[in-house]
Amino acid sequence: MKRIVWSFFILTAAMALQAEDGHQLWLRYQPVNKAKVVTEASSPTISIAKQELETYYNGENVTLKLDATMPDDDGYRIEGSTISARRDAGLLYGAFALLRGQYGDSHPTFNLRLLNHWDNLDGSIERGYAGESIFEWFKLDEQLIRDYARANASIGINGSVLNNVNASPKILTTPYLKEVKKIADILRPYGIKVYLSINFASPMALGETKTADPLNKSVAKWWQKKAKEIYKLIPDFGGFLVKANSEGQPGPGDYNRTHADGANMLADALKPFNGIVMWRCFVYGANHKGEDRVKQAVSEFKPLDGLFRDNVILQTKNGPLDFQPREPYSPIFDQIKKTPNMVELQITQEYLGQSRHLVYLAPMWKEFFDYVSPSQLKGIAGVANIGKDRNWCGHHFSQANWYAFGRLAWNPDLSSNTIAEEWLELTFTNDKRFVDSMMRLMEMSREACVKYMMPLGLHHIFKFDHHYGPEPDGFIASYPLEWCPVYYHKANNDSIGFDRSHTGTNATSQYRKDIADMYDNIETCPEDLLLWFHRVPWTYKMKDGSTLWESLQFEYQLGVIMVETMQTTWHYKMRNFVDEQRWREVDERLADQLQNAREWRDVCLNYFGQFATKQ
Amino acid sequence: MKRIVWSFFILTAAMALQAEDGHQLWLRYQPVNKAKVVTEASSPTISIAKQELETYYNGENVTLKLDATMPDDDGYRIEGSTISARRDAGLLYGAFALLRGQYGDSHPTFNLRLLNHWDNLDGSIERGYAGESIFEWFKLDEQLIRDYARANASIGINGSVLNNVNASPKILTTPYLKEVKKIADILRPYGIKVYLSINFASPMALGETKTADPLNKSVAKWWQKKAKEIYKLIPDFGGFLVKANSEGQPGPGDYNRTHADGANMLADALKPFNGIVMWRCFVYGANHKGEDRVKQAVSEFKPLDGLFRDNVILQTKNGPLDFQPREPYSPIFDQIKKTPNMVELQITQEYLGQSRHLVYLAPMWKEFFDYVSPSQLKGIAGVANIGKDRNWCGHHFSQANWYAFGRLAWNPDLSSNTIAEEWLELTFTNDKRFVDSMMRLMEMSREACVKYMMPLGLHHIFKFDHHYGPEPDGFIASYPLEWCPVYYHKANNDSIGFDRSHTGTNATSQYRKDIADMYDNIETCPEDLLLWFHRVPWTYKMKDGSTLWESLQFEYQLGVIMVETMQTTWHYKMRNFVDEQRWREVDERLADQLQNAREWRDVCLNYFGQFATKQ
């Protein structure tokens, strides 16, 4: 009998362990139902703050206090057991901070802290690697959306663009807008506004106008009416995100109008309701077709600076190309001075191993802030890596990128290590033996990825379309040249790299003076961007005395060694700190990652070796 | 014509590069013939000091001064451009220090700083991996021996035992002694005394006595006469090194006499000439046969402590077993208190990859000094890694071990890193890019070796006889059990390791109290010696939370990763700092080392896995 009981116990324990699917993210507080929350204020948001604390806070009673003397932002102050804030949302953020054991004054650096979902209305997600969209139109899973809202609130995210920037006009139809309202109602108490990506040609596509010309009155009117409809349903609707005249999307250029014409027309429609327009600068192959792709955004938008309405923000990817493992920052942040800027980061790892590779992105984002001061930016957007996979992000460690995005959106001064530490402790265990090891591995993971994929400034030599593996010989005549890997590395028997210095496309000239000088001179250009800015002979002597070709081989090899270290450490050393399911799922992915890293190394070195060893 | 000249130039330059065979060791000063040396003293040793400085010193004139007020040792003082010393040798050491750019006062920690050559009279070398012996009897290469002497003098080595401890009686015959005299005459001006290993049964073996019983008068007389003969030829002869009653060598035990009886008889013979006897404690399988091998030396010698003449020194290997990649220190250094001790280190890498692996031994020797204070020791001996290979040591980086031995024999407080830095700069280049990288790799190389061969305290699972590869299943019934790998790891389905705690052989009790307690308790025993002292279940939880079996796999894997890092760095990054020949020879060896490291990992994990995964 004893034996049966014992077996049963083991079975139950094993099942409990197996049931750890990662769905809880970093929100693993056990209900203790200990603290009482005292507050004179009341609102749905404050109720959530109250409930979180009363359920999970393992300390004394807490007072929540609205304080109109505090700065008018989402910040909070935690003193003793009192949380004060100017806004309801501040109290909620303060509650989550207290649960994490963080005290003192804290104010967000960016007022706009948005997730961009590239979710299509059919449930698919562009560059999504974690299953289908959590926004299931006309059959919304409200609990799932509430869980999503809670997770966002816990890290300070205050806006969600619900749909893909390659937007379907249908999203603006009344049936969809009613669904959007439902989502907005769920998100609102968590301090999150909804935004929509719109198709610039929506009125025409929906058959309600004959043109989408922004200077056409019927068009402008249509948008004004649509705005009114939206705000009636969702009074705090955030605004529109627009991808126009880019990669086949319609835009004002179709009518020989400028981006400013287009953006301003929408801005005018939203203005009465305090809505904003986030206009994306990810534009190439349009007016400046044929120019070095990384220059086209500045060429397009710099002349328009000063012509935008005050509720337009230009949203630009961190780098001038397209979310590569390493890019220099986008020079638009140096050139656009009269229009507010937002940076668009990519949380989903399109070019960084997707949901198969453990790559912690915070070090990459911190690198961006080394060059672009947060004070220059009005907001920050992250292309979400969230899907309907039970663990939300496909890879358990990809959750860290969602978390890190939120934390950096709140405070970009946090170190990537600090954020990793917080996340590891909240998500797995606070056993220092685990946390210290994994912090180190997370911190090195992005550099490893750069090395085994595209070291020394190489870029965009990914396989066509899916962007997972290497395709250094990629060339398809029917594709735009700037989609082809060979265009970016230009390897031949003498040299490799893209000359963007003054002897080449002069892309360096788009940077502010000191940076432009640094990048332009091969001697001062950081070697990790060397082949981005310069065309370099295989025999070129690197600063460490090796030749370029030797260095390239070294980098690829070292990248693989770094993944071996990660895989070995997880496989042999981390099992006892982690539940079986999460350990196994991460372990399987690390084995894949190692295989893929080796593939990158071998394919690229074989390919480049054909040239490099010809001399 | 121009073209021909150019081709010729390239050819010559290439040949010059190829001619770099490593023979110059760390003595690569270019003759500048600049400084004049002023000195009132004169001797062959001072002439050498003078010549070194006048040829190579790139500074102002130098004064050499004998100073009778200085401590009576080989030390020196460099102040301004004056070198002072009590002894001639001190001036020579000072000259080499000045050439290295070292200033100030410096005195050797050990007065006896000896190389032990395990060279046989037929030219072969026991555990030699760099060609035949440099001591070519009856056809001595005097220049080679002079080069050898200069190299030793440059790092302060002041004695050489010329022949193998498994000694041929013939070395004491007159013809050989006349050759020894020639060698002594070459070494003398370099401050180096010669010593000989002797066969304890020499008089009997040579047919000149009927016994070798140390208490037999004719035997004692023979040795007295022999000593007289030796000192007539070599007035400053250093003394004898003796391996007795060990691994088949004859000794006093053959006549039921003690080691003290044997050593004292020889000591008496040498005493009138100020000669010493270095009596080796590397004894097992004799009086204490059947006892845990690592205990036998203490069992044998502790009862004799206090019974030795004052010109006897006990010479003991650093660890109690046999020069494994990692051993605890030998407890004899805790137990022998009335008799002077010397430590015997092994420079030749018998168990550390021989001349195929890059393994820098200084960190291992420093580890010994962490436990055994140099002040407890009268001298230090290193089993040489020198042979007739053009580069002396087989592996170019094995030269670093010769160098480090000399430097630590002079000053065991030097860090292994400092010594590596000195050696790299002298031997290759002082380009910091090279030196910094290679310092790091050298420093990690011994830990890598431990990991890929025998981590966590495993020991002696080498292939029989040649000791290069792994043989964890090694067992030969006709061999002594303590030569068999299975005896040392004792792996079965439950556990692995050798219980030397109080529940086992109690070898831990031979250590001084605090250390004994630490090793004896599995909780406090350093994990890198765990399986040396304890028998441990495969499922045992290590301090980092992993199981023993997981940790063992991790260590082997990490060892290989470390070699990959070394190999990759050298292969891709170091070529441009090093001449072609040395770069290539090291590169080939690193490729071998990587292959061998993988073999170690795979063979050992396959073998142990049979047990560990059975549960």
Side-chain angles (χ1 to χ4, degrees):
Chain A
M1 181 57 192
K2 238 182 184 171
R3 190 160 177 177
I4 293 171
V5 171
W6 183 238
S7 301
F8 176 77
F9 174 75
I10 289 178
L11 195 70
T12 317
M15 282 170 62
L17 276 175
Q18 281 176 5
E20 180 47 273
D21 55 18
H23 192 70
Q24 288 186 80
L25 295 164
W26 48 85
L27 294 162
R28 286 158 188 276
Y29 310 107
Q30 295 305 307
V32 288
N33 300 306
K34 185 175 164 196
K36 285 285 148 220
V37 171
V38 183
T39 181
E40 290 177 4
S42 87
S43 76
T45 300
I46 292 171
S47 294
I48 292 172
K50 194 165 180 292
Q51 191 200 337
E52 290 285 340
L53 291 169
E54 291 191 335
T55 312
Y56 300 114
Y57 185 51
N58 193 15
E60 51 184 322
N61 293 350
V62 181
T63 304
L64 299 183
K65 214 167 71 181
L66 285 174
D67 178 349
T69 70
M70 287 178 67
D72 191 14
D73 63 21
D74 290 338
Y76 57 84
R77 174 184 305 142
I78 306 178
E79 254 178 350
S81 56
T82 299
I83 306 177
S84 319
R86 172 75 173 256
R87 302 179 183 168
D88 295 6
L91 294 178
L92 181 57
Y93 297 140
F96 280 112
L98 186 59
L99 286 173
R100 280 195 295 269
Q102 294 164 344
Y103 300 89
D105 273 47
S106 189
H107 294 273
T109 297
F110 304 110
N111 290 326
L112 292 170
R113 305 177 298 277
L114 270 56
L115 286 185
N116 289 3
H117 291 269
W118 287 359
D119 294 15
N120 299 312
L121 302 187
D122 66 0
S124 65
I125 302 179
E126 184 159 335
R127 311 306 174 189
Y129 311 101
E132 301 239 300
S133 173
I134 59 169
F135 305 114
E136 300 169 274
W137 302 99
F138 307 108
K139 45 182 198 290
L140 295 175
D141 180 341
E142 297 193 0
Q143 185 53 48
L144 186 65
I145 295 170
R146 198 168 293 115
D147 290 346
Y148 159 84
R150 177 179 178 235
N152 279 336
S154 75
I155 50 175
I157 288 168
N158 70 350
S160 292
V161 182
L162 301 181
N163 60 323
N164 191 357
V165 288
N166 296 319
S168 164
K170 277 196 294 183
I171 190 69
L172 293 179
T173 60
T174 306
Y176 276 95
L177 290 177
K178 286 185 173 164
E179 289 284 288
V180 173
K181 174 196 160 51
K182 288 187 198 162
I183 296 172
D185 289 344
I186 299 171
L187 303 192
R188 185 174 299 108
Y190 289 93
I192 301 166
K193 285 185 180 178
V194 299
Y195 299 75
L196 292 175
S197 293
I198 59 101
N199 183 303
F200 193 77
S202 291
M204 188 171 75
L206 294 171
E208 299 179 22
T209 62
K210 294 226 165 78
T211 173
D213 181 350
L215 301 193
N216 180 293
K217 283 195 179 155
S218 67
V219 171
K221 208 159 183 180
W222 186 90
W223 284 105
Q224 287 157 19
K225 222 179 96 194
K226 188 52 74 179
K228 211 167 165 182
E229 180 189 356
I230 293 171
Y231 279 93
K232 196 164 175 195
L233 290 164
I234 309 159
D236 59 349
F237 178 74
F240 294 147
L241 173 63
V242 192
K243 174 177 181 178
N245 292 123
S246 171
E247 297 183 328
Q249 292 300 314
D254 303 342
Y255 310 95
N256 286 318
R257 312 301 183 191
T258 68
H259 287 282
D261 294 330
N264 291 343
M265 181 273 292
L266 295 173
D268 289 341
L270 296 175
K271 181 76 182 178
F273 311 101
N274 296 316
I276 60 171
V277 172
M278 295 167 289
W279 193 270
R280 293 174 86 240
C281 294
F282 180 66
V283 167
Y284 65 93
N287 293 329
H288 296 271
K289 193 168 173 172
E291 193 183 37
D292 181 359
R293 176 169 160 186
V294 308
K295 293 180 71 179
Q296 294 184 38
V298 168
S299 298
E300 187 81 38
F301 284 91
K302 188 177 159 70
L304 305 175
D305 192 18
L307 304 179
F308 292 95
R309 299 285 186 270
D310 64 4
N311 59 334
V312 175
I313 305 177
L314 294 180
Q315 178 168 317
T316 309
K317 297 184 182 188
N318 57 302
L321 185 54
D322 191 11
F323 296 137
Q324 301 300 293
R326 171 166 276 130
E327 297 194 32
Y329 70 98
S330 174
I332 216 156
F333 298 106
D334 288 340
Q335 298 298 340
I336 300 296
K337 295 181 173 164
K338 299 174 193 155
T339 314
N341 286 296
M342 273 179 85
V343 62
E344 178 182 303
L345 306 174
Q346 195 184 40
I347 307 170
T348 191
Q349 296 161 232
E350 175 179 359
Y351 295 99
L352 291 107
Q354 301 175 3
S355 59
R356 306 305 296 168
H357 293 205
L358 191 171
V359 182
Y360 176 53
L361 301 178
M364 181 168 79
W365 299 332
K366 291 289 291 181
E367 203 171 280
F368 171 77
F369 289 122
D370 287 344
Y371 290 89
V372 179
S373 164
S375 65
Q376 290 176 246
L377 304 174
K378 181 115 176 176
I380 181 168
V383 181
N385 61 349
I386 297 160
K388 263 183 24 182
D389 277 2
R390 274 303 287 169
N391 72 7
W392 299 91
C393 302
H395 197 307
H396 291 287
F397 274 78
S398 294
Q399 296 179 354
N401 294 327
W402 178 7
Y403 185 87
F405 171 77
R407 298 291 287 133
L408 285 176
W410 187 274
N411 179 7
D413 288 337
L414 290 174
S415 77
S416 51
N417 252 322
T418 301
I419 298 172
E421 186 177 21
E422 270 183 32
W423 177 79
L424 285 163
E425 290 180 352
L426 293 168
T427 306
F428 290 104
T429 168
N430 53 18
D431 191 312
K432 272 194 79 60
R433 299 169 296 177
F434 175 84
V435 172
D436 289 352
S437 291
M438 292 313 298
M439 266 170 71
R440 273 199 299 277
L441 296 189
M442 287 173 73
E443 190 66 21
M444 77 189 237
S445 62
R446 181 265 184 150
E447 207 59 48
C449 179
V450 171
K451 285 182 195 298
Y452 65 70
M453 286 185 179
M454 294 175 296
L456 301 179
L458 286 175
H459 47 288
H460 221 310
I461 54 179
F462 290 95
K463 278 199 177 147
F464 282 107
D465 307 328
H466 66 57
H467 297 162
Y468 185 70
E471 192 162 346
D473 60 348
F475 177 77
I476 297 178
S478 60
Y479 273 20
L481 187 59
E482 66 264 37
W483 290 6
C484 297
V486 297
Y487 169 71
Y488 291 102
H489 62 67
K490 300 183 191 298
N492 68 15
N493 289 350
D494 293 320
S495 306
I496 182 174
F498 199 129
D499 186 359
R500 295 192 168 103
S501 76
H502 66 282
T503 60
T505 67
N506 209 19
T508 50
S509 68
Q510 291 188 336
Y511 289 91
R512 61 187 186 257
K513 180 77 169 73
D514 57 333
I515 301 288
D517 290 348
M518 175 181 75
Y519 287 151
D520 197 64
N521 181 347
I522 193 171
E523 297 298 321
T524 55
C525 180
E527 289 192 340
D528 55 15
L529 289 171
L530 189 66
L531 303 179
W532 183 284
F533 285 114
H534 296 277
R535 182 150 185 77
V536 185
W538 293 110
T539 51
Y540 177 78
K541 279 272 181 140
M542 306 289 284
K543 292 189 181 67
D544 70 3
S546 62
T547 66
L548 173 66
W549 172 232
E550 287 168 335
S551 289
L552 201 65
Q553 295 171 87
F554 178 76
E555 294 285 318
Y556 274 110
Q557 184 62 34
L558 197 63
V560 171
I561 289 174
M562 288 163 87
V563 180
E564 283 176 348
T565 306
M566 290 162 59
Q567 186 269 333
T568 300
T569 304
W570 183 265
H571 187 72
Y572 294 118
K573 286 291 182 186
M574 295 302 138
R575 184 172 204 149
N576 299 284
F577 298 107
V578 182
D579 51 277
E580 176 61 21
Q581 183 177 342
R582 288 194 292 173
W583 177 81
R584 185 174 32 76
E585 288 172 357
V586 171
D587 196 55
E588 286 166 2
R589 277 168 175 71
L590 280 165
D592 277 6
Q593 182 175 0
L594 180 52
Q595 193 176 33
N596 188 245
R598 287 178 177 146
E599 184 188 337
W600 270 97
R601 176 195 62 192
D602 296 342
V603 169
C604 292
L605 291 183
N606 279 339
Y607 176 78
F608 293 130
Q610 296 175 74
F611 306 109
T613 59
K614 264 275 172 58
Q615 302 168 63
Chain B
M1 180 59 193
K2 239 183 183 170
R3 189 158 177 178
I4 293 172
V5 172
W6 183 239
S7 301
F8 176 77
F9 174 75
I10 290 177
L11 195 72
T12 317
M15 282 171 63
L17 276 175
Q18 282 178 4
E20 179 48 270
D21 54 19
H23 192 70
Q24 288 185 81
L25 295 163
W26 48 86
L27 294 162
R28 286 158 188 276
Y29 311 108
Q30 294 305 307
V32 288
N33 300 306
K34 185 176 165 194
K36 284 287 145 218
V37 172
V38 183
T39 180
E40 290 176 3
S42 87
S43 76
T45 299
I46 292 171
S47 295
I48 293 172
K50 194 166 181 292
Q51 193 202 335
E52 290 285 342
L53 291 170
E54 291 191 334
T55 312
Y56 301 113
Y57 185 52
N58 194 15
E60 53 185 322
N61 293 350
V62 180
T63 305
L64 299 182
K65 215 169 71 184
L66 285 175
D67 179 349
T69 69
M70 287 178 67
D72 191 14
D73 64 20
D74 290 339
Y76 57 84
R77 173 184 308 141
I78 306 179
E79 255 179 350
S81 57
T82 299
I83 306 176
S84 319
R86 171 75 173 257
R87 301 177 183 169
D88 295 6
L91 293 179
L92 180 58
Y93 297 141
F96 280 111
L98 185 59
L99 285 173
R100 280 195 296 268
Q102 293 164 344
Y103 301 90
D105 274 47
S106 189
H107 294 273
T109 297
F110 304 111
N111 289 326
L112 292 169
R113 306 177 298 276
L114 271 55
L115 286 184
N116 290 2
H117 291 270
W118 287 0
D119 294 15
N120 299 312
L121 302 187
D122 65 1
S124 66
I125 303 180
E126 184 160 338
R127 310 308 174 189
Y129 311 100
E132 301 239 298
S133 175
I134 58 169
F135 304 115
E136 300 170 273
W137 302 100
F138 307 110
K139 45 182 198 290
L140 295 176
D141 180 342
E142 296 192 0
Q143 185 54 48
L144 186 66
I145 296 171
R146 199 167 292 116
D147 291 347
Y148 158 85
R150 178 180 177 235
N152 279 336
S154 75
I155 50 175
I157 288 167
N158 70 350
S160 292
V161 181
L162 302 181
N163 60 322
N164 190 356
V165 289
N166 296 319
S168 165
K170 276 196 294 181
I171 190 69
L172 294 179
T173 60
T174 307
Y176 276 94
L177 289 177
K178 285 185 175 164
E179 289 285 289
V180 172
K181 173 195 160 51
K182 288 187 199 163
I183 296 172
D185 289 345
I186 299 171
L187 302 191
R188 187 174 299 109
Y190 289 92
I192 301 166
K193 285 184 182 179
V194 300
Y195 298 75
L196 292 174
S197 292
I198 59 101
N199 181 303
F200 193 78
S202 292
M204 189 172 77
L206 295 171
E208 298 178 22
T209 62
K210 295 226 165 73
T211 173
D213 181 349
L215 301 193
N216 178 293
K217 283 195 180 156
S218 67
V219 170
K221 206 155 183 184
W222 186 91
W223 283 105
Q224 286 157 21
K225 223 180 96 196
K226 187 52 74 178
K228 210 166 166 183
E229 181 190 354
I230 293 171
Y231 278 93
K232 198 165 172 194
L233 290 163
I234 309 158
D236 59 348
F237 178 74
F240 294 147
L241 173 63
V242 192
K243 174 176 179 178
N245 293 123
S246 170
E247 297 184 326
Q249 292 299 313
D254 303 343
Y255 310 94
N256 288 316
R257 312 300 183 192
T258 68
H259 286 282
D261 295 330
N264 290 343
M265 182 272 291
L266 294 172
D268 289 341
L270 297 174
K271 181 75 179 177
F273 312 102
N274 297 314
I276 61 169
V277 172
M278 294 167 290
W279 193 270
R280 293 175 86 241
C281 294
F282 180 66
V283 166
Y284 65 92
N287 293 328
H288 297 270
K289 193 167 172 171
E291 192 183 38
D292 181 0
R293 175 168 160 186
V294 308
K295 294 181 69 179
Q296 294 184 37
V298 168
S299 298
E300 187 81 39
F301 284 91
K302 189 176 159 71
L304 305 176
D305 192 18
L307 304 179
F308 291 95
R309 296 285 186 271
D310 63 4
N311 60 333
V312 174
I313 304 177
L314 294 179
Q315 178 168 317
T316 309
K317 295 183 182 186
N318 57 301
L321 185 54
D322 191 11
F323 295 137
Q324 301 300 293
R326 173 165 275 129
E327 298 194 29
Y329 70 98
S330 173
I332 216 158
F333 298 108
D334 288 341
Q335 298 298 338
I336 298 296
K337 294 178 174 166
K338 298 173 192 155
T339 314
N341 286 295
M342 273 179 86
V343 63
E344 178 182 303
L345 305 174
Q346 195 184 41
I347 308 170
T348 191
Q349 296 162 233
E350 176 179 359
Y351 295 99
L352 290 109
Q354 302 176 2
S355 60
R356 306 304 298 168
H357 293 205
L358 192 170
V359 182
Y360 176 52
L361 301 178
M364 180 168 77
W365 299 332
K366 291 289 291 182
E367 201 169 282
F368 171 77
F369 289 122
D370 287 343
Y371 290 90
V372 178
S373 165
S375 65
Q376 289 175 247
L377 304 173
K378 180 116 177 176
I380 181 169
V383 180
N385 62 349
I386 296 162
K388 261 180 30 181
D389 277 2
R390 273 303 287 169
N391 73 7
W392 299 91
C393 302
H395 197 307
H396 292 286
F397 275 78
S398 294
Q399 297 178 354
N401 294 327
W402 178 6
Y403 185 87
F405 171 77
R407 298 291 288 134
L408 285 175
W410 187 274
N411 179 7
D413 288 337
L414 289 173
S415 77
S416 51
N417 252 324
T418 301
I419 298 171
E421 186 176 21
E422 269 183 34
W423 177 80
L424 286 163
E425 290 181 351
L426 294 168
T427 307
F428 290 104
T429 169
N430 52 19
D431 191 311
K432 273 194 78 62
R433 299 170 296 178
F434 175 83
V435 173
D436 289 352
S437 290
M438 292 312 298
M439 265 170 72
R440 274 199 298 278
L441 296 189
M442 286 173 75
E443 191 65 21
M444 76 190 239
S445 62
R446 181 263 185 153
E447 207 59 47
C449 179
V450 170
K451 286 183 194 297
Y452 65 71
M453 286 185 179
M454 293 175 297
L456 301 179
L458 286 173
H459 47 288
H460 220 310
I461 55 179
F462 291 96
K463 278 199 177 146
F464 283 107
D465 307 328
H466 66 58
H467 297 162
Y468 184 70
E471 192 162 346
D473 60 346
F475 178 76
I476 297 179
S478 60
Y479 273 20
L481 186 60
E482 65 264 38
W483 290 5
C484 298
V486 296
Y487 169 70
Y488 290 102
H489 63 68
K490 301 183 190 299
N492 68 15
N493 289 350
D494 292 320
S495 306
I496 181 173
F498 198 129
D499 185 0
R500 294 190 168 106
S501 76
H502 67 282
T503 61
T505 67
N506 209 19
T508 50
S509 68
Q510 291 187 335
Y511 289 91
R512 58 187 189 257
K513 180 78 170 73
D514 57 333
I515 300 288
D517 289 348
M518 175 181 74
Y519 286 152
D520 197 65
N521 181 347
I522 193 170
E523 296 298 322
T524 56
C525 181
E527 289 191 340
D528 55 15
L529 289 171
L530 188 66
L531 304 178
W532 182 284
F533 285 115
H534 296 279
R535 183 151 184 76
V536 185
W538 293 109
T539 51
Y540 176 79
K541 279 271 182 142
M542 306 290 285
K543 292 188 181 69
D544 70 4
S546 62
T547 65
L548 173 66
W549 172 232
E550 288 168 334
S551 289
L552 201 65
Q553 295 172 90
F554 178 76
E555 295 283 318
Y556 273 110
Q557 185 62 35
L558 197 63
V560 170
I561 289 174
M562 289 163 87
V563 180
E564 282 175 349
T565 306
M566 290 162 59
Q567 187 270 332
T568 300
T569 305
W570 183 265
H571 187 72
Y572 295 118
K573 286 293 182 183
M574 296 302 137
R575 185 172 202 150
N576 300 284
F577 298 107
V578 182
D579 51 278
E580 175 62 21
Q581 184 178 342
R582 287 194 292 174
W583 177 82
R584 183 174 34 75
E585 288 173 357
V586 171
D587 196 56
E588 286 166 2
R589 277 167 175 72
L590 280 164
D592 278 8
Q593 182 174 359
L594 181 52
Q595 193 176 33
N596 188 244
R598 288 179 176 146
E599 183 188 337
W600 268 97
R601 176 195 62 192
D602 296 341
V603 168
C604 291
L605 291 183
N606 279 339
Y607 176 78
F608 293 130
Q610 296 174 71
F611 305 109
T613 60
K614 263 276 173 53
Q615 300 169 62

